[in-house]
Amino acid sequence: MSDINPSFDEDAIEAARKRFAGPIEFLKSAPALEFLPADEVPEVAFAGRSNVGKSSLLNALTGRKALARTSVTPGRTQELNFFDVGDPLAFRLVDMPGYGFAKAPRDIVKKWRFLVNDYLRGRQALKRALVLIDSRHGIKDVDREILEMLDRAAVSYRLVMTKADKVKASDLAVTVAATEAEARKRAAAHPEIIVTSSDGGMGIAELRAAVVEAIG
């Protein structure tokens, strides 16, 4: 499975590593649009179903053990969380609220949905969204809802598989092929996906390079 991820040249991989080796700090949480930071640098947002491993992937991506909070309780991220990368500031990572959680009150789910939708439609700094898909399950209907939201908002996005180490290689290959096929059908989706494992480090270097590529 070594060739399962798109290839970036060595210079791109090293440049991305250096970008993420510098200062990375939590900036703020925004429960509503009026609390968003100034639209001053490029942003890359991370979206994913609750329990998809978003916080773990952000920590692996940045090489920090506790930059993003991890929790055994799905849906803990209820706001847009912003992280500054670089000094001087180069770009921001945005941790979006998890979706698909069954136990959250309906009014809270509705509030989060409006927040995400408004952010996607109105944020000029947003260069790309990364939509995380659990390798154990593939794309679910609840994932398609966010993909359709991104398509309608004309926001460029890329699908990123998580927890690849939890799946047999043969099963992973089938899920990856199905996910790639779905990505090719969607107007705003990048045609190549990235397969990752936060624990094993698979795909992390490629994901860093993809983030840096997206911000230009």
Side-chain angles (χ1 to χ4, degrees):
M1 306 295 284
S2 59
D3 60 348
I4 201 168
N5 276 315
S7 60
F8 292 88
D9 63 45
E10 291 183 5
D11 290 342
I13 292 289
E14 178 61 13
R17 186 195 66 78
K18 289 181 177 178
R19 284 285 193 108
F20 280 92
I24 303 177
E25 301 289 343
F26 171 74
L27 174 63
K28 67 182 301 185
S29 294
L33 292 187
E34 58 264 33
F35 298 101
L36 295 180
D39 213 347
E40 57 190 348
V41 293
E43 294 172 356
V44 174
F46 289 73
R49 192 166 67 242
S50 294
N51 208 29
V52 75
K54 183 154 50 68
S55 294
S56 295
L57 187 65
L58 277 166
N59 290 335
L61 179 74
T62 58
R64 275 70 172 176
K65 291 185 177 180
L67 184 75
R69 297 178 303 179
T70 58
S71 174
V72 295
T73 305
R76 180 173 176 178
T77 302
Q78 302 177 19
E79 303 169 338
L80 295 168
N81 292 316
F82 290 80
F83 301 90
D84 285 348
V85 181
D87 184 14
L89 177 62
F91 61 96
R92 288 192 174 110
L93 304 176
V94 186
D95 184 6
M96 296 170 61
Y99 56 84
F101 31 82
K103 296 181 180 180
R106 185 172 298 179
D107 59 331
I108 296 295
V109 174
K110 184 177 180 181
K111 176 184 175 183
W112 296 348
R113 185 176 181 84
F114 278 125
L115 173 63
V116 168
N117 190 54
D118 289 346
Y119 170 74
L120 293 176
R121 287 181 175 275
R123 190 66 169 172
Q124 293 298 315
L126 179 60
K127 300 304 179 185
R128 179 159 292 165
L130 300 174
V131 182
L132 310 190
I133 305 296
D134 194 321
S135 295
R136 299 170 299 178
H137 309 300
I139 297 178
K140 298 291 188 181
D141 286 343
V142 69
D143 298 310
R144 293 186 178 94
E145 290 179 16
I146 194 76
L147 301 186
E148 288 164 8
M149 189 184 295
L150 288 160
D151 285 334
R152 289 194 301 269
V155 173
S156 172
Y157 62 93
R158 190 167 194 158
L159 301 181
V160 178
M161 310 289 290
T162 64
K163 304 184 180 182
D165 58 309
K166 310 296 185 186
V167 184
K168 291 192 302 183
S170 57
D171 293 338
L172 179 62
V174 171
T175 305
V176 167
T179 304
E180 287 178 334
E182 179 128 5
R184 288 193 293 268
K185 297 176 184 177
R186 296 187 172 274
H190 193 289
E192 294 182 319
I193 68 173
I194 297 177
V195 183
T196 68
S197 164
S198 298
D199 291 336
M202 177 183 182
I204 299 301
E206 290 85 354
L207 184 58
R208 288 178 183 142
V211 168
V212 172
E213 179 185 76
I215 63 174

